[in-house]
Amino acid sequence: MWKRVASLSPLISSKRSSTLNQAAYTFKRFESFTTETPAQGKVGMFFKGKTPFITFVLGGPGSGKGTQCEKIVENFGFTHLSAGDLLRREITSNTEDGAKILDTIKEGKIVHSEVTVKLIRKEIDSSDNYKFLIDGFPRSEENRIEFERITEAEPDIVLFFDCPEEEMVKRVLNRNQGRVDDNIDTIRKRLKTFESLNLPVVNYYSKRGKLYTINAVGTADEIFEQVRPVFAAHEELST
């Protein structure tokens, strides 16, 4: 199910030199933004002295992206934002927006992209950091379009954790988190949904030259050795 994506973006483990070159190019573009003087009268996350360096982290359920986000945070000082966690936190905050989100979910509907994007932007605006991992977002082309419309920007890097379906099914069944949807039938349905909604986003960013495809099979440390060069290149160029 993943071959069409892999053909668009070679695995980092076999293309380390091209990864470093691509990362260097991205950093130079990023550096040119962060050294500019903020425009007078502008507010929001793109006018705080440093333009945020944004990484989208994509992958199906059980692809291991959450574990890798923890390692990126630990090693490179990024702030980890989970779209799902932000929605759940808003629900428990007893705000008017949280109540609307809960009602939407109870009705079996999908939370509108604009709501999620505004929560993400709020977190970025209020942070002292400028390096962000946005985990599990965008989930669809609608999400992507709304993010770019509201923020007037694109991500600097997009990581896609490419994992075979059977491996993801096995991992989700074994993680024992007590989720009611962690049974084999519902897992496969979630994977089908991911494939139909998320892979167009992956392909879009591949064509934009922003995608880094990670072979998500192996131990967490082995997988991170593919991830590390992407961010290490930026660290080296910033010193």
Side-chain angles (χ1 to χ4, degrees):
M1 79 187 260
W2 310 106
K3 288 182 180 178
R4 51 185 161 159
V5 177
S7 65
L8 288 170
S9 181
L11 297 180
I12 284 179
S13 58
S14 62
K15 296 284 186 179
R16 188 174 188 275
S17 61
S18 64
T19 295
L20 294 173
N21 289 338
Q22 184 180 352
Y25 169 79
T26 304
F27 181 82
K28 287 178 181 177
R29 179 168 53 82
F30 159 64
E31 189 177 46
S32 70
F33 288 136
T34 61
T35 55
E36 290 178 356
T37 302
Q40 294 297 322
K42 299 282 188 175
V43 294
M45 71 184 203
F46 297 102
F47 299 91
K48 292 175 61 178
K50 269 198 172 183
T51 301
F53 190 83
I54 294 175
T55 300
F56 285 162
V57 183
L58 307 178
S63 62
K65 58 186 174 60
T67 299
Q68 295 303 313
C69 282
E70 292 175 3
K71 289 182 172 292
I72 295 167
V73 169
E74 180 182 353
N75 286 271
F76 297 105
F78 277 69
T79 294
H80 179 202
L81 302 178
S82 165
D85 287 348
L86 292 178
L87 289 170
R88 284 186 285 272
R89 190 175 73 188
E90 191 69 18
I91 289 171
T92 59
S93 66
N94 295 319
T95 64
E96 183 178 347
D97 287 342
K100 290 179 180 178
I101 293 169
L102 182 59
D103 288 342
T104 300
I105 294 173
K106 284 182 176 178
E107 291 170 5
K109 299 178 181 178
I110 297 173
V111 176
H112 194 277
S113 299
E114 182 178 0
V115 174
T116 307
V117 173
K118 287 183 176 179
L119 288 175
I120 292 170
R121 177 163 185 162
K122 180 180 176 182
E123 288 297 307
I124 293 175
D125 280 342
S126 62
S127 176
D128 293 329
N129 201 353
Y130 67 94
K131 300 187 293 185
F132 298 92
L133 301 173
I134 302 180
D135 179 2
F137 189 91
R139 294 179 181 271
S140 65
E141 277 288 274
E142 182 198 1
N143 284 173
R144 178 189 68 76
I145 291 167
E146 282 294 282
F147 180 89
E148 294 179 3
R149 180 185 69 81
I150 292 172
T151 65
E152 298 182 346
E154 294 186 2
D156 297 275
I157 290 174
V158 179
L159 293 182
F160 172 56
F161 289 91
D162 185 6
C163 191
E165 179 175 324
E166 290 307 314
E167 179 67 18
M168 287 191 285
V169 170
K170 182 176 70 174
R171 289 177 182 177
V172 174
L173 288 173
N174 289 340
R175 67 188 180 186
N176 192 25
Q177 293 182 342
R179 290 180 54 158
V180 295
D181 56 352
D182 280 358
N183 63 71
I184 193 163
D185 291 333
T186 53
I187 292 168
R188 292 193 186 280
K189 288 178 182 177
R190 288 167 60 199
L191 289 171
K192 293 296 183 185
T193 300
F194 170 80
E195 181 179 14
S196 63
L197 294 179
N198 208 229
L199 291 188
V201 179
V202 171
N203 290 334
Y204 173 84
Y205 285 121
S206 176
K207 293 174 183 177
R208 300 282 291 171
K210 296 175 180 286
L211 186 73
Y212 293 85
T213 299
I214 307 298
N215 179 3
V217 178
T219 67
D221 288 340
E222 289 170 345
I223 295 167
F224 187 64
E225 287 310 305
Q226 300 174 63
V227 176
R228 185 189 298 275
V230 177
F231 297 98
H234 297 293
E235 294 290 315
E236 291 170 6
L237 288 169
S238 65
T239 58

